Amino acid sequence: MNTLFTRIALKTYRGIGLVAYPFMGPFLRIRASRGKEDRKRRYERYGYPSADKPAGPMIWFHAASVGESMAIIPLIEHVNALGINTIITTGTVTSAQIVRKRLPAGSFHQYVPLDLKPALERFLDHWKPDAAIFTESEIWPMTLLELANRKIPRILVNARMSDRSYKRWKNASGLAESLFDNFSHVIAQSKLDADRFSDLGARPVDISGNLKVDTGGLPYDEMELARISRRINGRPCWVAASTHEGEEEAIGKIHLMLKQKIPNLLTMIVPRHPDRSPGLVALLRENGLRVAQRSQNETLDADTDIYMGDTMGEMGLYLHLAQVAFVGKSLKAQGGQNPLEPAMTGTPIISGQAVQNFRDAYTSLLEAGAVRLVSDEQMLAANLEFLLKNPAEREKMAANAHKTLEEMRGSLKKTLHILDSYFFPLTIKRDLESLNNGTG
């Protein structure tokens, strides 16, 4: 893609955004009706502020959802300890609810503005960030360009690039270079990720490892854990986590297979997209399974076959309830999901083999004997039966996962070492402002 075509593509993107901007109201209302937007805070998506900006320097952090948000909380705590203000934006209702509970005092939360020039200008004019830090694969064209125009440093941390995304960007290499070149710094999870970002035009690129390893496990409600554990009452229990289309039906069949050998078995299914659950519940019930749907407060009793975990932000709860976890988007779908979350709860992991989006994490866990990869439903059923009947093997896998996680730690320290070169000048700016205002 030549330079002229790239400029035309970006101008077209900007133009479409300006045309679409007046019509975003109905779109956001539809999303709100489906629980994907906070109805009372939709104005934030247009860049309207959620609070007054305090005096002094400001760092803008952005994370797409819960996992990414939890990974950067330690970065925010570090910045706040330096006396620098912070705001974090997220894109999902669940992440907003959880982040606001976990944010250190003095930090602000707001929904991320639409990647449209009017919304971005309004957001940036109010908060006036001195640096913007994004996580993993959050690459928004207008956001990057607007920040670059204002000469605000743009850093991507815990960066990763899936096979699919890399191929797509390579097919538009000119456009990719014009965007990735706008990053002031990229801090990648692995050498492969770093090589891909470099190949697409990012400079400089460093490697830190995965920030999620250095964070605590997923949050959960201890009272709910105790309550549901009493309902389960010692039954063998496993969870199919972050499942995608086709996997839930397979899980139902596997439950029926295993129930012949483990009569009191309980299977929990946590679909990646909970809005699919009504259709899934109907399908499972058609196949003769007794389903209790958590979002509807249906009772989990001794006869329940499937507990449908169709709530947001409770993965930590389900993982602590389960004796074994199957990680989805790996058997009937492609790419895999993050295996570090069950590893951190000490839950033995089984996954399909299509886990290329989390290749490094799975490789480390596999080499340590902390995960089992299966190729089909029969193999998954056999491994589940073995692990559910062998607590000693489950303990061994959990210990191997713990050891692997300890060896993988250190990303936070490496990331902060790089970011401090952006943070420390702001402490000087803060002190000078204090002196000029007579408060220092």
Side-chain angles (χ1 to χ4, degrees), residues 132-150:
I133 298 174
F134 305 96
T135 59
E136 297 209 2
S137 53
E138 289 295 289
I139 301 164
W140 296 99
M142 284 302 100
T143 301
L144 278 176
L145 294 176
E146 189 62 30
L147 287 167
N149 288 340
R150 296 176 183 230

Side-chain angles (χ1 to χ4, degrees), residues 49-99:
S50 58
D52 293 332
K53 180 188 181 298
M58 172 71 71
I59 302 288
W60 171 23
F61 288 87
H62 173 67
S65 55
V66 175
E68 291 84 355
S69 301
M70 292 301 97
I72 62 170
I73 290 292
L75 301 182
I76 295 173
E77 292 172 339
H78 175 78
V79 173
N80 281 21
L82 295 174
I84 300 171
N85 301 305
T86 54
I87 178 170
I88 179 173
T89 57
T90 59
T92 66
V93 174
T94 305
S95 60
Q97 294 169 346
I98 292 175
V99 163

Side-chain angles (χ1 to χ4, degrees), residues 377-390:
E377 296 168 31
Q378 290 71 30
M379 193 173 177
L380 174 55
N383 277 270
L384 282 167
E385 180 184 358
F386 175 76
L387 288 175
L388 289 169
K389 289 182 176 180
N390 288 274

Side-chain angles (χ1 to χ4, degrees), residues 82-302:
L82 295 174
I84 300 171
N85 301 305
T86 54
I87 178 170
I88 179 173
T89 57
T90 59
T92 66
V93 174
T94 305
S95 60
Q97 294 169 346
I98 292 175
V99 163
R100 296 192 77 179
K101 296 177 182 177
R102 299 286 291 270
L103 273 181
S107 292
F108 299 88
H109 171 269
Q110 181 164 330
Y111 283 102
V112 64
L114 297 165
D115 193 44
L116 303 174
K117 191 173 178 62
L120 288 166
E121 288 181 336
R122 188 175 291 119
F123 177 88
L124 295 174
D125 287 345
H126 176 80
W127 292 107
K128 296 180 174 60
D130 294 275
I133 298 174
F134 305 96
T135 59
E136 297 209 2
S137 53
E138 289 295 289
I139 301 164
W140 296 99
M142 284 302 100
T143 301
L144 278 176
L145 294 176
E146 189 62 30
L147 287 167
N149 288 340
R150 296 176 183 230
K151 296 181 171 55
I152 299 171
R154 306 149 305 281
I155 305 114
L156 185 64
V157 302
N158 214 36
R160 66 182 181 92
M161 177 74 66
S162 68
D163 294 351
R164 181 180 178 183
S165 294
Y166 179 62
K167 182 178 180 180
R168 186 169 63 244
W169 283 116
K170 281 295 287 183
N171 288 335
S173 57
L175 178 61
E177 185 172 353
S178 69
L179 289 176
F180 285 85
D181 181 57
N182 276 284
F183 279 112
S184 308
H185 214 125
V186 171
I187 307 173
Q189 292 186 18
S190 70
K191 185 178 185 304
L192 177 61
D193 293 312
D195 289 344
R196 287 177 171 179
F197 277 101
S198 294
D199 187 42
L200 292 171
R203 301 285 189 280
V205 179
D206 285 294
I207 303 170
S208 68
N210 194 329
L211 274 175
K212 291 180 179 178
V213 180
D214 286 350
T215 62
L218 292 174
Y220 64 96
D221 187 320
E222 293 186 4
M223 292 182 63
E224 274 297 280
L225 177 63
R227 186 185 71 81
I228 299 175
S229 294
R230 288 194 296 271
R231 303 295 304 181
I232 293 175
N233 195 28
R235 294 171 61 184
C237 173
W238 68 288
V239 61
S242 297
T243 53
H244 283 63
E245 186 173 357
E247 291 180 327
E248 296 89 1
E249 184 175 9
I251 298 305
K253 293 178 181 177
I254 288 170
H255 177 88
L256 292 172
M257 291 168 56
L258 291 177
K259 194 176 178 182
Q260 299 176 27
K261 302 176 182 180
I262 309 175
N264 59 340
L265 178 67
L266 174 66
T267 296
M268 296 186 293
I269 298 178
V270 186
R272 177 66 173 171
H273 302 290
D275 56 337
R276 297 176 52 238
S277 66
L280 299 176
V281 169
L283 176 64
L284 293 167
R285 286 174 176 164
E286 286 174 5
N287 290 334
L289 293 159
R290 292 176 57 87
V291 183
Q293 195 172 351
R294 178 159 173 77
S295 67
Q296 302 302 310
N297 295 316
E298 294 176 348
T299 302
L300 191 167
D301 56 34

Side-chain angles (χ1 to χ4, degrees), residues 348-373:
I349 306 163
I350 304 175
S351 174
Q353 296 180 352
V355 293
Q356 57 269 26
N357 290 355
F358 297 87
R359 184 181 291 110
D360 291 312
Y362 272 103
T363 297
S364 296
L365 292 168
L366 189 63
E367 289 175 350
V371 65
R372 291 171 171 237
L373 298 185

